Amino acid sequence: MQVTETLNEGLKRGYAITLTADELDAKVHEKLAEAQPEVEMKGFRKGKVPMALLRKQFGQRLLGESMQEAIDGAMSKHFEDTGDRPAMQPEVKMTNEDWSEGDDVHVEMNYEKLPDVPEIDLTDLSVNKPVAKASDEDVEEALRNLAETAQDFKERQDGVKSKDGDQVVIDFVGKVDGEAFEGGAAEDYPLTLGSNSFIPGFEEQLVGVTKGEEKAVEVTFPEEYGAENLAGKAAVFDVTVKEVKKPVAAEIDDELAKKFGAEDLEGLKGQIRERLEAEYQGAARQVVKRRLLDVLDEKVQFDLPPSLVDAEAKQIAHQLYHEDNPDDHGHDHGEIEPTDEHKTLAERRVRLGLLLAEIGNQHEVQVTDAEMTQAIMNQARQYPGQERAFFDFVRQNQQMQQQLRAPIFEDKVVDVILEKAKVEENEVAKEDLQKMLDELDEV
């Protein structure tokens, strides 16, 4: 086997591989000799079939198999000897397309190698981390919001008209073509106007009613309505308004606390403070991570494989296109040409991805099976009722597994770096922390 370098330009490499006819023939003979003891053929005892007959019977099939194995072996040995790691699948093609048995095999292999990532002293890195504490005012504000979500309804004075957001207690009977239909009647039904829990157009017609009023509500069932006998049909609901109630926030007391699983109001305040500070810590984590990546991006420079940058730029352009065109769910929009801005962002992502991968390997960072299972479970919750199918899909899809594993690995590497770097904490107000978080989305 002869391997000759034909290209050495930056990270690009090219090699000509020659597999001689004698080497290929020897490989075929080796396979036949290995199989001979187990071969049975009419007229011969097991293991006694002549080699010439075996070659005639199986030689052609083993020829292609041997050729592929020899080339794969040559590639593996090349990468082992050189230490090169291809950025993407090497491009391999046979150059003598008029090949026939007895000829040498000529193959051309081209690839871009991953660059040598320079080592950095993590203890030399410095980054500022914002820290926000939950103030008493923050807790009180969250309490008021909770009270609003746990709102009660208080009866309005007689004669006062209902408003959007009010609750009306009604009796109703629905009819289609003058005939009442099954499931179309109820008594003392509490309906919150604006909740969109009834047929479109129903709740709007009850805005402005008063206690004791009777009203005929005319609606049309949607074409896609679940009951086929009602879909698309016009209906009239005879409604009697028995009460009109206005929304009122729940009292901030021990009873409210119990509704949210706390023993008393002080216990609820403690839970709220913990939740708020966990949210602030999550936001601060995003900010300090971005700052750390900015420091690494400025500190470390090295050549990048053009193929990886191009692929990443196209992915960014595709993703941003769909964010800007959410109604376009297909992929028949043609190729989206990346801009210079996309390419600059792609270079940053590829550079940081290679750097974090190298640091992770140096510090033996691993994503555990438990962490992967948790990540899959989190994703599966987006598909209620189909969790099992989603699990099976992920198990069979290596690309999906990598998409789930990558952010976990990245976060664990960031943790390693932050443990060794100089991290200066700076206390800030929650408003300032939110501003920092908003600025991350703008970059």
Side-chain angles (χ1 to χ4, degrees), residues 77-97:
K77 185 175 188 306
H78 165 76
F79 290 126
E80 183 180 339
D81 292 344
T82 62
D84 285 357
R85 294 173 298 160
M88 300 182 76
Q89 185 68 24
E91 179 185 338
V92 180
K93 65 179 181 180
M94 192 169 171
T95 55
N96 54 332
E97 297 179 359

Side-chain angles (χ1 to χ4, degrees), residues 187-211:
E187 294 182 352
D188 296 324
Y189 189 92
L191 174 62
T192 301
L193 303 180
S195 64
N196 297 318
S197 56
F198 267 40
I199 305 165
F202 188 100
E203 296 171 23
E204 291 87 340
Q205 295 179 55
L206 293 180
V207 174
V209 299
T210 58
K211 180 179 179 180

Side-chain angles (χ1 to χ4, degrees), residues 243-304:
E243 293 180 84
V244 176
K245 300 180 177 182
K246 64 180 179 180
V248 293
E251 293 293 329
I252 299 178
D253 53 18
D254 290 344
E255 288 305 312
L256 175 67
K258 290 175 182 177
K259 286 184 180 180
F260 289 96
E263 292 186 2
D264 52 30
L265 185 57
E266 286 305 310
L268 180 59
K269 287 182 178 181
Q271 291 179 9
I272 291 173
R273 190 180 298 277
E274 289 179 7
R275 176 178 60 79
L276 289 175
E277 295 201 341
E279 291 177 2
Y280 298 164
Q281 288 173 9
R285 162 75 180 194
Q286 293 183 54
V287 172
V288 75
K289 178 180 176 180
R290 171 63 69 83
R291 290 176 175 176
L292 176 64
L293 294 179
D294 288 344
V295 169
L296 291 171
D297 190 41
E298 292 178 6
K299 189 178 185 66
V300 183
Q301 296 292 322
F302 50 88
D303 290 338
L304 302 175

Side-chain angles (χ1 to χ4, degrees), residues 336-357:
I336 302 168
E337 193 65 30
T339 65
D340 289 341
E341 185 179 354
H342 297 152
K343 293 174 183 176
T344 299
L345 180 56
E347 288 176 355
R348 171 189 166 94
R349 287 188 181 180
V350 171
R351 182 182 299 109
L352 290 173
L354 293 173
L355 177 58
L356 292 178

Side-chain angles (χ1 to χ4, degrees), residues 140-166:
E140 292 298 329
E141 180 184 354
L143 263 177
R144 290 192 294 272
N145 292 336
L146 275 182
E148 289 181 8
T149 63
Q151 68 180 9
D152 294 323
F153 290 93
K154 181 180 179 181
E155 190 169 1
R156 290 190 181 276
Q157 292 181 348
D158 292 352
V160 175
K161 294 181 178 181
S162 64
K163 300 178 181 179
D164 197 37
D166 281 358

Side-chain angles (χ1 to χ4, degrees), residues 357-377:
E358 186 65 24
I359 294 173
N361 290 335
Q362 291 173 359
H363 292 83
E364 300 181 347
V365 173
Q366 298 289 334
V367 177
T368 66
D369 290 343
E371 289 167 336
M372 277 297 293
T373 299
Q374 186 62 52
I376 297 173
M377 289 175 62

Side-chain angles (χ1 to χ4, degrees), residues 17-50:
I17 301 173
T18 300
L19 173 64
T20 66
D22 289 343
E23 289 174 313
L24 182 57
D25 185 70
K27 187 78 174 175
V28 171
H29 186 84
E30 180 184 335
K31 282 183 169 292
L32 290 172
E34 184 179 333
Q36 187 179 33
E38 301 299 324
V39 175
E40 296 185 53
M41 193 175 292
K42 188 175 181 180
F44 299 94
R45 286 180 296 157
K46 180 180 179 180
K48 298 300 182 180
V49 180

